Amino acid sequence: MSVAVENFIKAIYKNNLNSINNTKPGSIAKHLGISNAAATDMAKKLADKDLLNYEKYKPLQLTAKGEKIALNIIRKHRLWEAFLFKTFDMSLHDIHREAELLEHETSNFLAEKISAYLGHPKFDPHGDPIPNSDGEITTTDISISLEKAIENKTYTIARLMSDDKDFFDFCAQNSLKYGNTIEVVKQFSNTKMTQIKINNNTILLNQDFTKIIYVNEIN
Amino acid sequence: MSVAVENFIKAIYKNNLNSINNTKPGSIAKHLGISNAAATDMAKKLADKDLLNYEKYKPLQLTAKGEKIALNIIRKHRLWEAFLFKTFDMSLHDIHREAELLEHETSNFLAEKISAYLGHPKFDPHGDPIPNSDGEITTTDISISLEKAIENKTYTIARLMSDDKDFFDFCAQNSLKYGNTIEVVKQFSNTKMTQIKINNNTILLNQDFTKIIYVNEIN
DNA sequence: TAAAAAATTTAAGTAAACTTAAAAAAACAA
DNA sequence: TTGTTTTTTTAAGTTTACTTAAATTTTTTA
């Protein structure tokens, strides 16, 4: 399994999580920085190997076999993120960049070692769930995006869905870290801004941020 | 820099350490499991990039530029070995196998993190020196192979030069570990056997072993 | 709903990293 | 030193993962 194939499968998996199964070669091409033609080519080749279902002009869908491979790569990615974050205290941006490379050269054997070392964590430092070695995500995600949070309620940060360095730098500077507690002070419906309070500091976030910060309500 | 190129350069570097600059494409081909034709091809291509000197039918020699690349990869390999050995308590065989993959996907940034975490070690768990980030090996190696050790003298194990699982398993079972102390009881010149004592156990080693176990005399 | 725009597919071509087979050169051995 | 063996090189071909350009299909919109 080449890096190109692994990244292609992973891209389809991730895209289908967001775009409700309307993944065309073009969107994968854009994401991977290759031409549409190359993406179509690859899709056909992977269909031959029974890793995805391909019909001309139709959305791409991973087979069970393809999905298992996607989840195995994502598992390795997130285990590396958790490990690098804990061990070397690297930033969320840095761990993502390194994991993007390491994930393709990590044996199942080593992945298990990392997982065991960390106590088989269920989430990475972004709050994303880590599939188990069978490719299962057991934890049900009940988090909501901050834009949908309710005024005067208290939440914990569940996920930071981004890989943008500037975003992570901002988060790090303002204690916006996986697991931390925040209070939603006010939702400004006109401007789509959200005012939150964290560690006695008040922060006003615009929708670019509230869409990618996910939180869990504290009961 | 592709994995194929990195492995080619590394193979030349390692071969030139042993065979005193008589590395022909054939020996690299054998080592990498590719055809002689492919090795000749690659040699020409790397010569174009000024990574090695190539003249038809002449030995291959890395340029300063090529050597720097070789040492950078070897640095990453040995840092990974040291790190995996310490962190996950993996066997010498396992750490080698994993490092062989990870070395190609490790940024200089991450290599520095690993090195700093370990306290900038000068040797890996096999006893092989770890080049610094400038590709320099500062430590002078004064170790000798066990076949040349002198009777009744005491040594510490300096290097275990192998990547064979059975050898490592044998070593692990008999406390033959980097840094451990041994006493050379007798050299059998006829049979080329060496009798050593370690932890009050006597072991008789044949030349297959004594040639790849390196030791430092204790003053 | 028909024309325009956008996306997808096909076709042809490239570069990297290999392969096998044949030719040429070097190494060795009688 | 000459013939044989081995090694290296050249030549031609393959696969993977791309590219650009043109043709086709789908989607949008006027």
Side-chain angles (χ1 to χ4, degrees):
Chain A
M1 189 87 38
S2 69
V3 172
V5 167
E6 290 189 352
N7 279 332
F8 196 86
I9 290 174
K10 194 176 67 160
I12 294 173
Y13 180 86
K14 292 210 160 187
N15 211 68
N16 275 346
L17 282 186
N18 303 329
S19 64
I20 317 122
N21 282 23
N22 193 30
T23 301
K24 301 274 183 63
S27 49
I28 303 302
K30 207 169 185 178
H31 186 255
L32 295 178
I34 60 177
S35 67
N36 285 2
T40 301
D41 254 32
M42 183 63 99
K44 283 182 184 172
K45 222 171 20 179
L46 298 189
D48 286 346
K49 292 181 182 168
D50 193 33
L51 299 177
L52 57 83
N53 299 124
Y54 175 72
E55 264 188 277
K56 271 194 194 181
Y57 304 109
K58 293 275 170 353
L60 304 175
Q61 268 195 301
L62 293 177
T63 62
K65 206 170 149 191
E67 194 165 301
K68 201 144 196 176
I69 291 170
L71 286 159
N72 189 245
I73 302 161
I74 288 169
R75 168 175 166 78
K76 287 168 183 172
H77 180 100
R78 293 181 181 166
L79 281 172
W80 272 120
E81 289 198 327
F83 184 75
L84 296 176
F85 189 74
K86 179 181 175 177
T87 309
F88 301 128
D89 194 32
M90 283 159 57
S91 76
L92 290 186
H93 179 257
D94 286 340
I95 61 174
H96 177 78
R97 189 195 56 220
E98 302 295 337
E100 204 67 15
L101 299 173
L102 295 172
E103 61 183 12
H104 304 292
E105 301 302 335
T106 306
S107 67
N108 290 337
F109 172 81
L110 179 56
E112 267 311 292
K113 289 276 179 187
I114 297 171
S115 183
Y117 177 85
L118 296 170
H120 301 291
K122 294 220 183 301
F123 298 97
D124 74 11
H126 298 96
D128 296 325
I130 301 175
N132 71 15
S133 57
D134 291 325
E136 292 156 354
I137 297 173
T138 51
T139 47
T140 44
D141 186 2
I142 51 154
S143 61
I144 57 167
S145 67
L146 202 45
E147 59 179 343
K148 289 172 189 146
I150 294 155
E151 284 178 7
N152 295 317
K153 285 204 169 175
T154 305
Y155 298 88
T156 58
I157 295 175
R159 297 177 84 167
L160 300 168
M161 292 225 213
S162 170
D163 43 41
D164 178 58
K165 180 168 177 7
D166 289 337
F167 173 70
F168 291 140
D169 285 348
F170 175 85
C171 290
Q173 276 161 32
N174 293 282
S175 308
L176 292 169
K177 189 177 156 183
Y178 174 69
N180 281 7
T181 301
I182 63 169
E183 190 192 332
V184 174
V185 178
K186 189 151 179 52
Q187 290 284 14
F188 296 92
S189 49
N190 290 343
T191 53
K192 308 278 185 194
M193 305 276 274
T194 304
Q195 188 181 348
I196 63 166
K197 204 169 177 181
I198 182 163
N199 292 347
N200 272 326
N201 289 317
T202 297
I203 310 171
L204 202 56
L205 298 167
N206 71 15
Q207 211 180 13
D208 290 340
F209 280 32
T210 56
K211 271 160 84 170
I212 56 177
I213 298 174
Y214 279 69
V215 293
N216 283 325
E217 198 179 326
I218 291 179
N219 301 315
Chain B
M1 189 87 40
S2 70
V3 173
V5 167
E6 290 188 353
N7 279 332
F8 197 87
I9 290 173
K10 194 175 68 161
I12 295 174
Y13 180 85
K14 291 210 161 185
N15 210 67
N16 276 345
L17 282 185
N18 303 330
S19 65
I20 316 122
N21 282 23
N22 193 29
T23 300
K24 299 274 183 66
S27 48
I28 303 301
K30 207 169 185 175
H31 186 256
L32 295 178
I34 60 177
S35 67
N36 285 3
T40 301
D41 255 31
M42 183 63 99
K44 282 181 184 173
K45 221 169 20 176
L46 297 190
D48 285 347
K49 291 181 183 169
D50 193 32
L51 298 177
L52 57 81
N53 298 124
Y54 175 72
E55 263 187 278
K56 269 192 194 182
Y57 304 109
K58 294 277 169 355
L60 305 176
Q61 267 195 302
L62 293 178
T63 61
K65 205 171 149 189
E67 194 165 301
K68 201 144 196 176
I69 291 169
L71 286 160
N72 190 245
I73 302 161
I74 289 169
R75 167 175 167 77
K76 288 168 183 171
H77 180 99
R78 293 182 180 165
L79 282 173
W80 272 120
E81 288 198 328
F83 184 76
L84 297 175
F85 189 75
K86 178 180 176 179
T87 308
F88 301 127
D89 195 30
M90 284 160 58
S91 74
L92 290 186
H93 178 256
D94 286 340
I95 61 173
H96 177 77
R97 191 194 56 221
E98 302 294 338
E100 204 67 14
L101 298 173
L102 296 172
E103 61 183 11
H104 303 293
E105 301 302 335
T106 306
S107 67
N108 290 336
F109 172 82
L110 180 56
E112 267 311 291
K113 290 276 180 188
I114 299 171
S115 182
Y117 177 86
L118 296 170
H120 300 292
K122 294 220 183 303
F123 297 96
D124 75 11
H126 297 97
D128 296 325
I130 301 175
N132 71 16
S133 56
D134 291 324
E136 291 157 354
I137 297 174
T138 49
T139 46
T140 44
D141 185 1
I142 51 155
S143 62
I144 56 166
S145 67
L146 203 47
E147 60 179 342
K148 290 172 189 146
I150 294 155
E151 283 178 7
N152 296 318
K153 284 204 171 178
T154 305
Y155 298 87
T156 58
I157 295 175
R159 299 176 84 168
L160 301 167
M161 293 222 214
S162 171
D163 43 41
D164 179 59
K165 181 167 175 13
D166 289 338
F167 173 69
F168 291 140
D169 285 349
F170 174 84
C171 289
Q173 275 162 34
N174 292 283
S175 308
L176 292 168
K177 189 177 155 183
Y178 173 69
N180 279 9
T181 301
I182 63 169
E183 192 193 331
V184 173
V185 177
K186 189 149 178 57
Q187 291 283 16
F188 296 91
S189 51
N190 289 345
T191 54
K192 307 279 185 194
M193 305 276 272
T194 304
Q195 185 184 341
I196 63 166
K197 205 168 179 181
I198 182 164
N199 293 345
N200 273 326
N201 288 316
T202 295
I203 309 170
L204 207 53
L205 298 166
N206 70 15
Q207 215 180 10
D208 290 340
F209 282 33
T210 56
K211 270 160 87 167
I212 56 177
I213 298 173
Y214 280 68
V215 292
N216 283 325
E217 199 178 326
I218 292 180
N219 300 315

